[in-house]
Amino acid sequence: MRAAFFVCLLCFPFGGWAQSDAGSFLSAEVCKEVGKRLSFGLEIEMRTRDAVKDIDRLSAEFQTSYKLCDGLKLSAGYVFLGDHNKRISHYKENDRDYRKGLVEIGDRKNLREYWGLRHRMHVSLTGSHRFGRLKLSLRERWQYTFQPSHIVEGRYNYFYQKGDDAPHLYPTKVSNVLRSRLAAEYNVKGVKAHPHISVETYHAWNLKKVRGIVGVEWKINKRHAIDSFYLYDHVVKNNDNNPRRHILGVKYQVKI
């Protein structure tokens, strides 16, 4: 019953094409196993948005995992994030241009575009079980993100179509998110390609986002693999700064 519910969640977002964006995730990961239980990994990633025209994020992640027992794994990691931010404000009732009748409430007002840094830490517990060639897993992850304060010099006004040097302070921001992911992977007999599907929810006192992924992992050999996938982000409170996104991704993995 629970599995059917998650499948329905995965199918639900595909109807929300309004206010959507297309992008890509490109990443490479190096893993090192120490014994049968402990492993370390380093991953670098580039994300794009705005119909794959602009860089959205550059990141580097270090992660370690420990196998507690068969079917249960504990992991932790740190991520350094460089974000290309585009913050858009909208006209309100008290704005001068609205009172003059030049614009409508909700029209785009100002754009501030800048690069910012974030630091992220996470701890995860993953349980998995095989049913023949089908593997099911459930991962619960606590994620903490720290964003330092940042002053942005300059903005662009959509109505007047020009910029100015008005500074704006974006204060320090922290967030705690619980991410719950249910995933399924199937090992096709005699084929090195393993199809997979997953649904993940993001909670911070209430539901923030639902992410669905459908993909195929290709095992080149024992050390190398390529994962290609389609990802959809359904943001619950959708706006110009956080559009729903259709993503095509490729991840290269190597074990050393």
Side-chain angles (χ1 to χ4, degrees):
M1 189 70 181
R2 184 174 182 178
F5 170 73
F6 273 89
V7 171
C8 290
L9 272 179
L10 180 62
C11 297
F12 164 72
F14 289 87
W17 289 88
Q19 291 182 286
S20 294
D21 180 31
S24 65
F25 290 1
L26 302 173
S27 63
E29 181 182 22
V30 178
C31 300
K32 173 64 176 178
E33 294 183 351
V34 181
K36 295 182 178 180
R37 293 182 179 271
L38 184 63
S39 65
F40 299 93
L42 177 64
E43 179 179 356
I44 57 174
E45 182 182 58
M46 180 182 73
R47 298 185 179 185
T48 66
R49 65 163 184 260
D50 297 334
V52 202
K53 293 183 296 185
D54 293 334
I55 294 177
D56 180 44
R57 174 190 296 178
L58 299 173
S59 66
E61 176 179 4
F62 174 78
Q63 181 172 272
T64 180
S65 299
Y66 185 79
K67 185 178 179 182
L68 299 174
C69 59
D70 289 341
L72 190 61
K73 180 177 67 174
L74 178 67
S75 61
Y78 165 78
V79 191
F80 179 77
L81 302 161
D83 299 301
H84 180 202
N85 295 295
K86 298 177 84 171
R87 302 299 182 189
I88 300 172
S89 61
H90 300 81
Y91 280 101
K92 300 178 181 179
E93 290 184 1
N94 59 346
D95 286 317
R96 181 184 60 185
D97 291 335
Y98 169 71
R99 295 198 302 267
K100 290 182 177 180
L102 300 176
V103 298
E104 298 292 335
I105 294 177
D107 286 350
R108 290 184 174 186
K109 184 180 179 181
N110 293 319
L111 165 68
R112 294 184 185 272
E113 189 171 2
Y114 63 97
W115 280 90
L117 301 179
R118 288 187 295 163
H119 305 273
R120 174 171 292 168
M121 293 170 284
H122 59 79
V123 178
S124 307
L125 186 64
T126 306
S128 60
H129 187 76
R130 286 193 176 275
F131 301 89
R133 294 187 174 275
L134 177 65
K135 179 182 178 181
L136 297 179
S137 65
L138 177 63
R139 186 189 72 184
E140 297 292 343
R141 168 174 288 184
W142 168 74
Q143 176 178 286
Y144 170 82
T145 305
F146 173 78
Q147 180 176 305
S149 61
H150 190 83
I151 296 178
V152 179
E153 303 283 352
R155 63 184 176 181
Y156 173 82
N157 183 271
Y158 286 97
F159 178 75
Y160 294 101
Q161 297 186 0
K162 64 179 182 179
D164 60 30
D165 296 325
H168 181 79
L169 172 66
Y170 287 95
T172 298
K173 183 179 179 181
V174 298
S175 64
N176 290 276
V177 176
L178 178 64
R179 298 170 54 175
S180 302
R181 186 190 69 184
L182 179 65
E185 178 184 335
Y186 192 77
N187 185 357
V188 183
K189 184 178 181 180
V191 179
K192 294 183 178 180
H194 298 168
H196 60 85
I197 184 172
S198 66
V199 175
E200 186 171 16
T201 57
Y202 291 61
H203 285 269
W205 301 110
N206 51 44
L207 181 63
K208 296 295 184 181
K209 183 170 69 174
V210 179
R211 169 173 290 180
I213 297 178
V214 178
V216 177
E217 183 182 50
W218 179 265
K219 302 285 187 180
I220 301 174
N221 53 43
K222 292 183 178 181
R223 291 181 177 271
H224 301 268
I226 295 178
D227 186 19
S228 58
F229 56 89
Y230 167 78
L231 178 153
Y232 184 87
D233 269 343
H234 180 86
V235 180
V236 175
K237 291 186 177 180
N238 192 24
N239 54 47
D240 288 325
N241 298 316
N242 295 288
R244 300 185 178 103
R245 290 183 179 173
H246 303 270
I247 305 293
L248 293 178
V250 177
K251 180 178 182 179
Y252 172 71
Q253 300 169 299
V254 59
K255 295 181 180 180
I256 59 175

